[in-house]
Coordinates of all heavy atoms in Angstrom, one line a residue:
Chain B
T196 N 77.7 49.3 150.8 CA 76.3 49.8 150.6 C 75.3 48.9 151.3 O 74.3 49.3 151.8 CB 76.0 50.1 149.2 OG1 76.1 48.9 148.4 CG2 76.8 51.2 148.6
I197 N 75.5 47.6 151.2 CA 74.6 46.7 151.9 C 74.7 46.9 153.4 O 73.6 46.9 154.0 CB 75.0 45.2 151.5 CG1 74.7 45.0 150.0 CG2 74.1 44.2 152.3 CD1 75.3 43.7 149.4
A198 N 75.9 47.0 153.9 CA 76.0 47.2 155.3 C 75.3 48.5 155.7 O 74.6 48.6 156.7 CB 77.5 47.3 155.7
L199 N 75.4 49.5 154.9 CA 74.8 50.8 155.1 C 73.3 50.7 155.1 O 72.6 51.3 155.9 CB 75.3 51.8 154.0 CG 75.0 53.3 154.2 CD1 75.5 53.8 155.5 CD2 75.6 54.0 153.0
A200 N 72.8 49.9 154.2 CA 71.3 49.8 154.1 C 70.7 49.0 155.2 O 69.5 49.0 155.4 CB 71.0 49.2 152.7
T201 N 71.5 48.1 155.8 CA 71.0 47.2 156.8 C 71.3 47.6 158.2 O 70.9 46.9 159.2 CB 71.4 45.8 156.5 OG1 72.9 45.8 156.4 CG2 70.8 45.2 155.3
V202 N 72.1 48.6 158.4 CA 72.6 48.9 159.8 C 71.5 49.3 160.7 O 71.6 49.0 161.9 CB 73.8 50.0 159.8 CG1 73.2 51.3 159.3 CG2 74.4 50.1 161.1
C203 N 70.4 49.9 160.2 CA 69.3 50.2 161.1 C 68.3 49.0 161.2 O 67.2 49.2 161.8 CB 68.5 51.4 160.5 SG 69.5 52.9 160.3
R204 N 68.7 47.9 160.7 CA 67.8 46.7 160.7 C 66.4 47.0 160.3 O 65.4 46.8 161.0 CB 67.8 46.1 162.1 CG 69.2 45.9 162.7 CD 69.2 45.4 164.1 NE 68.7 44.0 164.2 CZ 69.5 42.9 164.0 NH1 70.7 43.1 163.6 NH2 69.0 41.7 164.2
P205 N 66.3 47.5 159.0 CA 65.0 47.9 158.5 C 64.1 46.7 158.2 O 64.7 45.6 157.9 CB 65.3 48.7 157.3 CG 66.6 48.2 156.8 CD 67.3 47.8 158.0
Q206 N 62.8 46.9 158.3 CA 61.9 45.7 158.0 C 61.8 45.5 156.5 O 61.3 44.5 156.0 CB 60.5 45.9 158.5 CG 60.5 45.9 160.1 CD 60.4 47.2 160.7 OE1 61.2 48.1 160.3 NE2 59.5 47.4 161.6
F207 N 62.1 46.6 155.7 CA 61.8 46.5 154.3 C 63.1 47.0 153.5 O 63.5 48.2 153.8 CB 60.6 47.3 153.9 CG 60.1 47.1 152.5 CD1 59.3 46.0 152.2 CD2 60.3 48.0 151.5 CE1 58.8 45.7 151.0 CE2 59.9 47.8 150.2 CZ 59.1 46.7 150.0
I208 N 63.6 46.2 152.6 CA 64.8 46.7 151.9 C 64.5 46.5 150.4 O 64.0 45.5 149.9 CB 66.0 45.8 152.2 CG1 66.3 46.0 153.7 CG2 67.3 46.3 151.4 CD1 67.3 44.9 154.3
I209 N 64.9 47.5 149.6 CA 64.7 47.5 148.2 C 66.1 47.3 147.6 O 67.0 48.2 147.8 CB 64.0 48.7 147.6 CG1 62.6 48.8 148.1 CG2 64.0 48.7 146.1 CD1 61.9 50.1 148.0
A210 N 66.3 46.3 146.8 CA 67.6 46.1 146.1 C 67.5 46.2 144.6 O 66.8 45.3 144.0 CB 68.2 44.7 146.5
D211 N 68.0 47.2 144.0 CA 67.8 47.4 142.6 C 69.1 47.0 141.8 O 70.1 47.7 141.9 CB 67.6 48.9 142.4 CG 67.3 49.2 140.9 OD1 67.2 48.3 140.1 OD2 67.3 50.4 140.5
E212 N 69.0 45.9 141.2 CA 70.2 45.3 140.4 C 71.5 45.4 141.2 O 72.5 45.9 140.6 CB 70.3 46.0 139.1 CG 69.0 46.0 138.2 CD 69.1 45.0 137.1 OE1 70.0 44.2 137.1 OE2 68.1 45.0 136.3
P213 N 71.6 45.0 142.4 CA 72.8 45.3 143.2 C 74.0 44.6 142.7 O 75.1 44.9 143.1 CB 72.4 44.8 144.6 CG 71.3 43.9 144.4 CD 70.6 44.3 143.2
T214 N 73.8 43.5 141.9 CA 75.0 42.7 141.5 C 75.3 42.8 140.0 O 76.2 42.1 139.5 CB 74.9 41.3 141.9 OG1 73.7 40.7 141.3 CG2 74.7 41.1 143.4
T215 N 74.5 43.6 139.3 CA 74.6 43.5 137.8 C 76.0 44.0 137.3 O 76.5 43.4 136.3 CB 73.5 44.5 137.2 OG1 72.3 44.1 137.7 CG2 73.5 44.4 135.7
A216 N 76.6 44.9 138.0 CA 77.9 45.4 137.5 C 79.1 44.6 138.0 O 80.2 44.9 137.7 CB 78.1 46.9 138.0
L217 N 78.8 43.5 138.8 CA 79.9 42.8 139.4 C 80.3 41.6 138.6 O 79.5 41.0 137.9 CB 79.5 42.4 140.8 CG 79.0 43.5 141.8 CD1 78.6 42.8 143.1 CD2 80.2 44.4 142.0
D218 N 81.5 41.2 138.8 CA 82.0 40.0 138.1 C 81.4 38.7 138.8 O 80.9 38.8 139.9 CB 83.5 39.9 138.2 CG 84.1 40.8 137.2 OD1 83.6 40.9 136.1 OD2 85.2 41.4 137.5
V219 N 81.4 37.6 138.0 CA 80.6 36.4 138.5 C 81.1 36.0 139.9 O 80.2 35.6 140.7 CB 80.7 35.3 137.5 CG1 79.8 35.5 136.4 CG2 82.1 35.0 137.0
V220 N 82.4 36.0 140.1 CA 82.9 35.4 141.4 C 82.4 36.3 142.6 O 81.9 35.8 143.6 CB 84.4 35.4 141.4 CG1 84.9 34.8 142.7 CG2 84.9 34.5 140.2
V221 N 82.5 37.6 142.4 CA 82.1 38.5 143.4 C 80.6 38.5 143.6 O 80.0 38.6 144.7 CB 82.6 39.9 143.1 CG1 82.2 40.9 144.2 CG2 84.1 39.9 142.8
Q222 N 79.9 38.4 142.5 CA 78.4 38.4 142.5 C 77.9 37.4 143.5 O 77.0 37.7 144.3 CB 77.9 38.1 141.1 CG 76.4 37.8 141.0 CD 75.9 37.8 139.6 OE1 75.6 38.8 139.0 NE2 75.7 36.5 139.1
K223 N 78.4 36.2 143.4 CA 77.8 35.1 144.3 C 78.0 35.5 145.7 O 77.1 35.3 146.5 CB 78.5 33.8 143.9 CG 77.7 32.6 144.5 CD 78.2 31.3 143.9 CE 77.4 30.1 144.4 NZ 77.8 28.9 143.8

Side-chain angles (χ1 to χ4, degrees):
Chain B
T196 55
I197 293 167
L199 189 57
T201 51
V202 66
C203 303
R204 307 175 73 81
Q206 290 103 313
F207 192 80
I208 301 166
I209 295 166
D211 183 9
E212 305 257 10
T214 59
T215 306
L217 302 177
D218 281 323
V219 281
V220 179
V221 183
Q222 167 172 278
K223 194 166 183 179

